[in-house]
Amino acid sequence: MTERLVDPAVPRDLHAFIAGLPKAELHVHHVGSASPRIVSELAARHPDSKVPTDPEALVDYFQFTDFAHFIDVYLSVVDLIRTPEDVRLLTYEVARDMARQQVRYAELTITPYSSTRRGIDEGAFMDAIEDARKAAEAEFGTVLRWCFDIPGEAGLEAAEETTRLATDDRVRPEGLVSFGLGGPEIGVGRPQFKPYFDRAIAAGLHSVPHAGETTGPQTVWDALTELRAERIGHGTSSAQDPKLLAHLAERRIPLEVCPTSNIATRAVRTLDEHPIKEFTRAGVLVTVNSDDPPMFGTDLNNEYAVAARLLDLDERGLADLAKNAVEASFLDVPGKARIRDEIDTYTAAWLAS
Ligand SMILES: Nc1ncnc2c1ncn2[C@@H]1O[C@H](CCC(=O)c2cccc(C(=O)O)c2)[C@@H](O)[C@H]1O
Ligand SMILES: [Zn+2]
């Protein structure tokens, strides 16, 4: 798997630099990060599932003809997660995979509605993710925080349930920092979710909806004006609207860019056509993320290598990219300073060697 991820266009020593570079990840999904080993283990527990039990067969299963197909496959993996133990195992293993890539901090997007709707008790669900979060920090030194997102296509009933789980002090987990909106965008207008985002923001959560992934720049404008987005998930179509690009740059509103995701879901045709270059030229604060790494045959290190190739970055450029994610994160000030210093120390030592 790792060998397939080594982008031949990027010098091997830059891959080595990336592998050791301390990083933060802001746009990565809980279920979407389940490794082939975990997915095949869960599939073996549930023979009624259409998900292959063989990790190699999963590589073919994770090939998508379009975004709708991706969502279907994604939900077939969601169906495998049926007990709090499944949730705990998945979360802990995701943190282990992140630690292996020197991820010091990650905001993991979780869709609690999809699990409680499938019968997992909400209190047991929150305990499972919190236990894994505390274990990951103690054992790997990786700090996890949660983003709860509404699966928009599931409508306002899902929005209400997600908002309740995110704002009711009797159930919301300690690690929760942000509130999002995921799933298909086509036919799922952002303005209808304004009341729910207003409640989440009033409860102290940061707004980070997906927008402009499979629809045009108006969706990004709506996310900014109606949902008061502090960051935008993907924002790919922003490149079609120079005023929007200027607005994002001027207000320093970060984009959570996931290059390989956009190719795998057919949102963008080829990496060379990806708008990440336009974003950078316009002065937009770009962060690089993996979204659903095993499903897209990638990992965060590979996304940094892709960015290095598309943006022609050297070690200092890659270190700046990592620091963008730290700056755009909702980690506290001392935590940000700690990771920023680690990045600078690592980079200086690398360049001096
Ligand atoms: N790149 C992505 N872009 C957008 N979303 C992404 C991406 N990657 C992962 N997701 C996740 O996909 C899910 C979609 C779930 C969904 O649409 C749905 C529809 C109807 C019913 C139900 C249900 O559970 O009853 C769920 C979301 O949880 C979202 O967090
Ligand atoms: Zn996403």
Side-chain angles (χ1 to χ4, degrees), residues 75-87:
L75 288 176
S76 71
V77 179
V78 172
D79 283 336
L80 295 178
I81 297 151
R82 301 187 189 171
T83 69
E85 191 35 48
D86 292 341
V87 174

mmCIF file with all atom_site columns, all heavy atoms in Angstrom, residues 75-87:
data_model
loop_
_atom_site.group_PDB
_atom_site.id
_atom_site.type_symbol
_atom_site.label_atom_id
_atom_site.label_alt_id
_atom_site.label_comp_id
_atom_site.label_asym_id
_atom_site.label_entity_id
_atom_site.label_seq_id
_atom_site.pdbx_PDB_ins_code
_atom_site.Cartn_x
_atom_site.Cartn_y
_atom_site.Cartn_z
_atom_site.occupancy
_atom_site.B_iso_or_equiv
_atom_site.pdbx_formal_charge
_atom_site.auth_seq_id
_atom_site.auth_comp_id
_atom_site.auth_asym_id
_atom_site.auth_atom_id
_atom_site.pdbx_PDB_model_num
ATOM 1   N N   . LEU A 1 75 ? -21.555 4.636  2.824  1.00 0.00 ? 75 LEU A N   1
ATOM 2   C CA  . LEU A 1 75 ? -22.632 4.207  3.731  1.00 0.00 ? 75 LEU A CA  1
ATOM 3   C C   . LEU A 1 75 ? -22.590 2.710  3.979  1.00 0.00 ? 75 LEU A C   1
ATOM 4   O O   . LEU A 1 75 ? -22.995 2.229  5.041  1.00 0.00 ? 75 LEU A O   1
ATOM 5   C CB  . LEU A 1 75 ? -23.987 4.648  3.198  1.00 0.00 ? 75 LEU A CB  1
ATOM 6   C CG  . LEU A 1 75 ? -24.229 6.164  3.303  1.00 0.00 ? 75 LEU A CG  1
ATOM 7   C CD1 . LEU A 1 75 ? -25.552 6.562  2.657  1.00 0.00 ? 75 LEU A CD1 1
ATOM 8   C CD2 . LEU A 1 75 ? -24.183 6.623  4.756  1.00 0.00 ? 75 LEU A CD2 1
ATOM 9   N N   . SER A 1 76 ? -22.057 1.941  3.000  1.00 0.00 ? 76 SER A N   1
ATOM 10  C CA  . SER A 1 76 ? -21.965 0.483  3.224  1.00 0.00 ? 76 SER A CA  1
ATOM 11  C C   . SER A 1 76 ? -20.925 0.200  4.323  1.00 0.00 ? 76 SER A C   1
ATOM 12  O O   . SER A 1 76 ? -21.047 -0.776 5.061  1.00 0.00 ? 76 SER A O   1
ATOM 13  C CB  . SER A 1 76 ? -21.585 -0.247 1.930  1.00 0.00 ? 76 SER A CB  1
ATOM 14  O OG  . SER A 1 76 ? -20.234 0.007  1.574  1.00 0.00 ? 76 SER A OG  1
ATOM 15  N N   . VAL A 1 77 ? -19.928 1.090  4.443  1.00 0.00 ? 77 VAL A N   1
ATOM 16  C CA  . VAL A 1 77 ? -18.944 0.927  5.537  1.00 0.00 ? 77 VAL A CA  1
ATOM 17  C C   . VAL A 1 77 ? -19.553 1.417  6.855  1.00 0.00 ? 77 VAL A C   1
ATOM 18  O O   . VAL A 1 77 ? -19.386 0.791  7.903  1.00 0.00 ? 77 VAL A O   1
ATOM 19  C CB  . VAL A 1 77 ? -17.624 1.672  5.219  1.00 0.00 ? 77 VAL A CB  1
ATOM 20  C CG1 . VAL A 1 77 ? -16.613 1.534  6.369  1.00 0.00 ? 77 VAL A CG1 1
ATOM 21  C CG2 . VAL A 1 77 ? -17.010 1.154  3.924  1.00 0.00 ? 77 VAL A CG2 1
ATOM 22  N N   . VAL A 1 78 ? -20.336 2.506  6.781  1.00 0.00 ? 78 VAL A N   1
ATOM 23  C CA  . VAL A 1 78 ? -21.042 2.991  7.987  1.00 0.00 ? 78 VAL A CA  1
ATOM 24  C C   . VAL A 1 78 ? -21.896 1.864  8.577  1.00 0.00 ? 78 VAL A C   1
ATOM 25  O O   . VAL A 1 78 ? -21.942 1.649  9.785  1.00 0.00 ? 78 VAL A O   1
ATOM 26  C CB  . VAL A 1 78 ? -21.933 4.213  7.658  1.00 0.00 ? 78 VAL A CB  1
ATOM 27  C CG1 . VAL A 1 78 ? -22.815 4.592  8.843  1.00 0.00 ? 78 VAL A CG1 1
ATOM 28  C CG2 . VAL A 1 78 ? -21.088 5.404  7.225  1.00 0.00 ? 78 VAL A CG2 1
ATOM 29  N N   . ASP A 1 79 ? -22.539 1.082  7.693  1.00 0.00 ? 79 ASP A N   1
ATOM 30  C CA  . ASP A 1 79 ? -23.415 -0.020 8.147  1.00 0.00 ? 79 ASP A CA  1
ATOM 31  C C   . ASP A 1 79 ? -22.659 -1.085 8.944  1.00 0.00 ? 79 ASP A C   1
ATOM 32  O O   . ASP A 1 79 ? -23.260 -1.842 9.707  1.00 0.00 ? 79 ASP A O   1
ATOM 33  C CB  . ASP A 1 79 ? -24.077 -0.701 6.934  1.00 0.00 ? 79 ASP A CB  1
ATOM 34  C CG  . ASP A 1 79 ? -25.222 0.136  6.374  1.00 0.00 ? 79 ASP A CG  1
ATOM 35  O OD1 . ASP A 1 79 ? -25.788 0.944  7.140  1.00 0.00 ? 79 ASP A OD1 1
ATOM 36  O OD2 . ASP A 1 79 ? -25.506 0.020  5.169  1.00 0.00 ? 79 ASP A OD2 1
ATOM 37  N N   . LEU A 1 80 ? -21.334 -1.133 8.764  1.00 0.00 ? 80 LEU A N   1
ATOM 38  C CA  . LEU A 1 80 ? -20.544 -2.166 9.468  1.00 0.00 ? 80 LEU A CA  1
ATOM 39  C C   . LEU A 1 80 ? -20.322 -1.789 10.931 1.00 0.00 ? 80 LEU A C   1
ATOM 40  O O   . LEU A 1 80 ? -19.990 -2.624 11.760 1.00 0.00 ? 80 LEU A O   1
ATOM 41  C CB  . LEU A 1 80 ? -19.171 -2.329 8.803  1.00 0.00 ? 80 LEU A CB  1
ATOM 42  C CG  . LEU A 1 80 ? -19.128 -2.865 7.368  1.00 0.00 ? 80 LEU A CG  1
ATOM 43  C CD1 . LEU A 1 80 ? -17.684 -2.911 6.889  1.00 0.00 ? 80 LEU A CD1 1
ATOM 44  C CD2 . LEU A 1 80 ? -19.782 -4.235 7.290  1.00 0.00 ? 80 LEU A CD2 1
ATOM 45  N N   . ILE A 1 81 ? -20.489 -0.507 11.220 1.00 0.00 ? 81 ILE A N   1
ATOM 46  C CA  . ILE A 1 81 ? -20.167 -0.046 12.578 1.00 0.00 ? 81 ILE A CA  1
ATOM 47  C C   . ILE A 1 81 ? -21.446 -0.124 13.417 1.00 0.00 ? 81 ILE A C   1
ATOM 48  O O   . ILE A 1 81 ? -22.333 0.717  13.294 1.00 0.00 ? 81 ILE A O   1
ATOM 49  C CB  . ILE A 1 81 ? -19.585 1.375  12.524 1.00 0.00 ? 81 ILE A CB  1
ATOM 50  C CG1 . ILE A 1 81 ? -18.278 1.322  11.725 1.00 0.00 ? 81 ILE A CG1 1
ATOM 51  C CG2 . ILE A 1 81 ? -19.326 1.927  13.931 1.00 0.00 ? 81 ILE A CG2 1
ATOM 52  C CD1 . ILE A 1 81 ? -17.947 2.570  11.028 1.00 0.00 ? 81 ILE A CD1 1
ATOM 53  N N   . ARG A 1 82 ? -21.559 -1.180 14.224 1.00 0.00 ? 82 ARG A N   1
ATOM 54  C CA  . ARG A 1 82 ? -22.830 -1.465 14.885 1.00 0.00 ? 82 ARG A CA  1
ATOM 55  C C   . ARG A 1 82 ? -22.756 -1.481 16.406 1.00 0.00 ? 82 ARG A C   1
ATOM 56  O O   . ARG A 1 82 ? -23.776 -1.435 17.075 1.00 0.00 ? 82 ARG A O   1
ATOM 57  C CB  . ARG A 1 82 ? -23.353 -2.821 14.395 1.00 0.00 ? 82 ARG A CB  1
ATOM 58  C CG  . ARG A 1 82 ? -23.540 -2.816 12.875 1.00 0.00 ? 82 ARG A CG  1
ATOM 59  C CD  . ARG A 1 82 ? -24.198 -4.041 12.347 1.00 0.00 ? 82 ARG A CD  1
ATOM 60  N NE  . ARG A 1 82 ? -24.135 -4.050 10.879 1.00 0.00 ? 82 ARG A NE  1
ATOM 61  C CZ  . ARG A 1 82 ? -24.490 -5.108 10.137 1.00 0.00 ? 82 ARG A CZ  1
ATOM 62  N NH1 . ARG A 1 82 ? -24.903 -6.209 10.740 1.00 0.00 ? 82 ARG A NH1 1
ATOM 63  N NH2 . ARG A 1 82 ? -24.409 -5.068 8.827  1.00 0.00 ? 82 ARG A NH2 1
ATOM 64  N N   . THR A 1 83 ? -21.545 -1.525 16.961 1.00 0.00 ? 83 THR A N   1
ATOM 65  C CA  . THR A 1 83 ? -21.455 -1.561 18.437 1.00 0.00 ? 83 THR A CA  1
ATOM 66  C C   . THR A 1 83 ? -20.487 -0.486 18.914 1.00 0.00 ? 83 THR A C   1
ATOM 67  O O   . THR A 1 83 ? -19.611 -0.046 18.145 1.00 0.00 ? 83 THR A O   1
ATOM 68  C CB  . THR A 1 83 ? -20.880 -2.920 18.916 1.00 0.00 ? 83 THR A CB  1
ATOM 69  O OG1 . THR A 1 83 ? -19.489 -2.976 18.526 1.00 0.00 ? 83 THR A OG1 1
ATOM 70  C CG2 . THR A 1 83 ? -21.653 -4.095 18.324 1.00 0.00 ? 83 THR A CG2 1
ATOM 71  N N   . PRO A 1 84 ? -20.608 -0.087 20.184 1.00 0.00 ? 84 PRO A N   1
ATOM 72  C CA  . PRO A 1 84 ? -19.643 0.874  20.738 1.00 0.00 ? 84 PRO A CA  1
ATOM 73  C C   . PRO A 1 84 ? -18.198 0.362  20.634 1.00 0.00 ? 84 PRO A C   1
ATOM 74  O O   . PRO A 1 84 ? -17.278 1.136  20.403 1.00 0.00 ? 84 PRO A O   1
ATOM 75  C CB  . PRO A 1 84 ? -20.091 1.005  22.188 1.00 0.00 ? 84 PRO A CB  1
ATOM 76  C CG  . PRO A 1 84 ? -21.541 0.667  22.184 1.00 0.00 ? 84 PRO A CG  1
ATOM 77  C CD  . PRO A 1 84 ? -21.688 -0.394 21.134 1.00 0.00 ? 84 PRO A CD  1
ATOM 78  N N   . GLU A 1 85 ? -18.034 -0.977 20.696 1.00 0.00 ? 85 GLU A N   1
ATOM 79  C CA  . GLU A 1 85 ? -16.672 -1.537 20.588 1.00 0.00 ? 85 GLU A CA  1
ATOM 80  C C   . GLU A 1 85 ? -16.120 -1.309 19.180 1.00 0.00 ? 85 GLU A C   1
ATOM 81  O O   . GLU A 1 85 ? -14.961 -0.975 18.995 1.00 0.00 ? 85 GLU A O   1
ATOM 82  C CB  . GLU A 1 85 ? -16.674 -3.031 20.945 1.00 0.00 ? 85 GLU A CB  1
ATOM 83  C CG  . GLU A 1 85 ? -15.269 -3.626 21.114 1.00 0.00 ? 85 GLU A CG  1
ATOM 84  C CD  . GLU A 1 85 ? -14.248 -2.658 21.725 1.00 0.00 ? 85 GLU A CD  1
ATOM 85  O OE1 . GLU A 1 85 ? -14.551 -2.021 22.746 1.00 0.00 ? 85 GLU A OE1 1
ATOM 86  O OE2 . GLU A 1 85 ? -13.139 -2.511 21.138 1.00 0.00 ? 85 GLU A OE2 1
ATOM 87  N N   . ASP A 1 86 ? -17.013 -1.457 18.162 1.00 0.00 ? 86 ASP A N   1
ATOM 88  C CA  . ASP A 1 86 ? -16.576 -1.161 16.787 1.00 0.00 ? 86 ASP A CA  1
ATOM 89  C C   . ASP A 1 86 ? -16.095 0.296  16.717 1.00 0.00 ? 86 ASP A C   1
ATOM 90  O O   . ASP A 1 86 ? -15.086 0.611  16.097 1.00 0.00 ? 86 ASP A O   1
ATOM 91  C CB  . ASP A 1 86 ? -17.754 -1.326 15.809 1.00 0.00 ? 86 ASP A CB  1
ATOM 92  C CG  . ASP A 1 86 ? -18.216 -2.770 15.638 1.00 0.00 ? 86 ASP A CG  1
ATOM 93  O OD1 . ASP A 1 86 ? -17.429 -3.688 15.965 1.00 0.00 ? 86 ASP A OD1 1
ATOM 94  O OD2 . ASP A 1 86 ? -19.363 -2.957 15.201 1.00 0.00 ? 86 ASP A OD2 1
ATOM 95  N N   . VAL A 1 87 ? -16.835 1.186  17.366 1.00 0.00 ? 87 VAL A N   1
ATOM 96  C CA  . VAL A 1 87 ? -16.513 2.623  17.326 1.00 0.00 ? 87 VAL A CA  1
ATOM 97  C C   . VAL A 1 87 ? -15.179 2.892  18.014 1.00 0.00 ? 87 VAL A C   1
ATOM 98  O O   . VAL A 1 87 ? -14.311 3.604  17.492 1.00 0.00 ? 87 VAL A O   1
ATOM 99  C CB  . VAL A 1 87 ? -17.640 3.440  18.004 1.00 0.00 ? 87 VAL A CB  1
ATOM 100 C CG1 . VAL A 1 87 ? -17.263 4.914  18.103 1.00 0.00 ? 87 VAL A CG1 1
ATOM 101 C CG2 . VAL A 1 87 ? -18.949 3.273  17.246 1.00 0.00 ? 87 VAL A CG2 1
#
